[in-house]
Amino acid sequence: LTILNAIRNYPLTELRVNLDSVLYAAEDIQDILISSDRLFAYIENKASAGVTSVEEFLAKVPDPILPGDLEWSVTTVTVTNPERDLGDDLLVDLYLPKTSKGSSPLVVISHGVASSRKTFSYVAEHLASYGFAVAAIEHPNTDASSLQQYIAGFEDGADPRDAIQRPSDITAVLDFLERKDENNNSDWTGKVETDGVGVLGQSLGGYTVLAAGGAQLNLDYLEEVCSDSDKTILPFNLSLLLQCETLKLPSQNYVTHDQRIKAVLAINPVSSAVFGPAGLEQIQVPVLMIASSNDILAPAVEEQIEPFSWLKTEEKYLLLVKNGTHFSFLPGESGGGEDVFSLPEALVGPDPKQAHPVIKAISTVFFQTYINESDEYELFLTEAFLSAPEGDEFKFALTGLLSESEIAEVLSNPRANED
């Protein structure tokens, strides 16, 4: 699917183009990139003031970029979510570390659209080597095979119920693991802790873990945003197309929060309109939000940076990845491995494998700190640790403090970074 192929296959000899719309879209994309660059520079300057030697941290704990010492096994289980239609069972890959310490803390992984439970296997394996049990869910209707069926004409498009069903998938998996433990199943008994759980998700999976972690759906706010976006020629925030679909749900108060969740890591989440400030401030657990400066599907400023400023939880972090895109954390050079379709290089950006070490390390550090309550690992949540290796095309800036007023000042005043 490219613009050139669309023109080649257009059935008429003439093709009319709305130049106003094209120019508007081009300007909007340019604004997205400029705004992200300004904020990256501001966060980088802000963070560098407190930089400490990485060697000081490594003297206390192992380097979290490197694999841990534990071996692990993986098995695939089938889980039924009573909130879904009959037959829409979940496939879940469960990674169990081989440890003598008894039960292992649990991290649940939620993939984005057109991905699968295998997409973040590189993160799951890394976490398992550090002693975490990991449950990687494959969500029906939004996985890779469902998208392929949709394009082939065999399935309908986005289902607004996914906004409710995806967080309930996490609850169903936690319930399943608890039942196995209670029934003294030899494969599970005493091996997985389901109280005090970490969750990690990307894109729509980022929305999923925020919702399961306490963010409240705000349909009134969503309706206002979607109504405003309809009045513009082409608002270049493609995630709004997905978020606005949620308005097709019956109007009521939806509860997606699972109290067992203790920490949330959201990568490129779609979150601005579907939650709004009032919805995101409901989260009371630690949150790490990751944003990519060149993401045009879920733009960093609108979907992660501004929403980050709405969070009221005391423990929160924003990691901004310069030159990162919406596909920078997926497997393979194409940005998706075998999970999604081959994508143009310009859309994928630099080789995603360059970003994998930092994502593996930051997830380990974050969950060690807030699931295992390890004070030593909290030292790594600094700018010093995230310095990119020489030759790496990605750059990283991490902050725990960023207000709406700061964002507005940086975006309105190009010289704010110099102050």
Side-chain angles (χ1 to χ4, degrees):
L1 180 61
T2 66
I3 293 175
L4 185 57
N5 281 336
I7 294 173
R8 283 173 176 162
N9 289 279
Y10 195 70
L12 303 179
T13 56
E14 294 183 359
L15 179 65
R16 295 179 180 272
V17 177
N18 186 327
L19 191 58
D20 286 340
S21 292
V22 173
L23 293 174
Y24 181 89
E27 290 173 2
D28 210 13
I29 293 175
Q30 187 177 33
D31 286 344
I32 287 171
L33 302 181
I34 291 173
S35 297
S36 295
D37 284 346
R38 285 181 185 173
L39 282 164
F40 179 88
Y42 178 77
I43 293 171
E44 188 177 40
N45 290 340
K46 190 176 179 182
S48 62
V51 165
T52 316
S53 170
V54 180
E55 285 70 25
E56 178 184 330
F57 306 152
L58 296 179
K60 299 182 178 181
V61 293
D63 188 344
I65 283 181
L66 302 176
D69 296 330
L70 296 177
E71 295 182 353
W72 43 267
S73 62
V74 59
T75 185
T76 302
V77 298
T78 302
V79 177
T80 299
N81 180 357
E83 300 297 320
R84 285 190 175 273
D85 296 335
L86 188 65
D88 282 346
D89 289 338
L90 314 174
L91 292 177
V92 181
D93 283 351
L94 183 66
Y95 298 75
L96 286 174
K98 298 178 180 179
T99 174
S100 59
K101 294 182 179 179
S103 60
S104 299
L106 177 65
V107 174
V108 180
I109 296 180
S110 173
H111 64 76
V113 173
S115 293
S116 75
R117 66 189 189 279
K118 304 292 185 184
T119 300
F120 288 96
S121 60
Y122 73 93
V123 177
E125 293 169 3
H126 194 78
L127 290 172
S129 75
Y130 277 86
F132 291 94
V134 181
I137 303 174
E138 187 152 319
H139 299 279
N141 304 330
T142 51
D143 58 358
S145 61
S146 296
L147 182 62
Q148 290 169 340
Q149 289 289 94
Y150 168 67
I151 289 178
F154 297 117
E155 286 192 10
D156 294 331
D159 187 338
R161 293 181 300 169
D162 287 325
I164 308 303
Q165 292 175 340
R166 274 178 145 261
S168 73
D169 288 341
I170 294 177
T171 294
V173 169
L174 297 183
D175 290 345
F176 170 83
L177 293 174
E178 282 187 352
R179 286 196 302 273
K180 286 290 184 182
D181 193 49
E182 290 170 0
N183 294 336
N184 294 321
N185 183 291
S186 59
D187 293 334
W188 310 93
T189 303
K191 293 185 179 180
V192 180
E193 297 176 15
T194 55
D195 187 20
V197 174
V199 287
L200 178 154
Q202 188 263 346
S203 189
L204 187 58
Y207 155 81
T208 303
V209 297
L210 288 168
Q216 179 66 49
L217 280 174
N218 189 338
L219 295 182
D220 290 338
Y221 184 83
L222 179 63
E223 185 172 15
E224 182 181 331
V225 171
C226 295
S227 175
D228 288 343
S229 68
D230 286 342
K231 297 172 186 175
T232 63
I233 301 173
L234 179 64
F236 218 94
N237 179 351
L238 296 180
S239 75
L240 282 180
L241 300 175
L242 189 61
Q243 294 182 71
C244 291
E245 281 292 303
T246 309
L247 287 174
K248 295 178 181 177
L249 287 171
S251 181
Q252 64 183 68
N253 183 32
Y254 293 98
V255 178
T256 57
H257 184 200
D258 193 303
Q259 299 283 349
R260 292 167 289 192
I261 292 172
K262 191 176 178 181
V264 176
L265 198 165
I267 305 171
N268 307 129
V270 293
S271 59
S272 65
V274 75
F275 296 128
L280 278 170
E281 68 181 22
Q282 300 303 313
I283 297 181
Q284 299 179 14
V285 299
V287 175
L288 169 61
M289 200 173 283
I290 299 178
S292 300
S293 66
N294 295 354
D295 189 343
I296 62 171
L297 299 183
V301 175
E302 292 179 51
E303 293 304 321
Q304 294 98 43
I305 297 175
E306 288 180 345
F308 172 80
S309 72
W310 302 338
L311 293 169
K312 300 299 184 186
T313 180
E314 291 183 8
E315 296 93 359
K316 62 177 184 176
Y317 302 90
L318 173 68
L319 173 61
L320 186 56
V321 184
K322 188 173 184 180
N323 298 326
T325 72
H326 200 71
F327 308 99
S328 292
F329 312 108
L330 304 184
E333 294 182 2
S334 66
E338 59 186 22
D339 294 321
V340 297
F341 301 106
S342 181
L343 296 167
E345 242 178 71
L347 194 60
V348 175
D351 183 357
K353 289 180 181 177
Q354 294 183 29
H356 287 189
V358 168
I359 295 302
K360 289 191 290 187
I362 199 70
S363 60
T364 301
V365 166
F366 182 68
F367 291 127
Q368 288 278 26
T369 301
Y370 292 110
I371 301 299
N372 283 346
E373 299 180 352
S374 171
D375 294 337
E376 294 86 357
Y377 277 93
E378 188 175 10
L379 296 171
F380 282 101
L381 291 171
T382 70
E383 175 70 14
F385 169 63
L386 294 166
S387 298
E390 188 175 346
D392 198 329
E393 296 179 76
F394 296 108
K395 304 298 177 187
F396 304 93
L398 179 73
T399 186
L401 296 170
L402 190 65
S403 67
E404 286 187 83
S405 59
E406 283 181 283
I407 294 171
E409 172 66 16
V410 172
L411 296 183
S412 63
N413 178 14
R415 297 183 61 82
N417 298 328
E418 303 171 10
D419 296 339

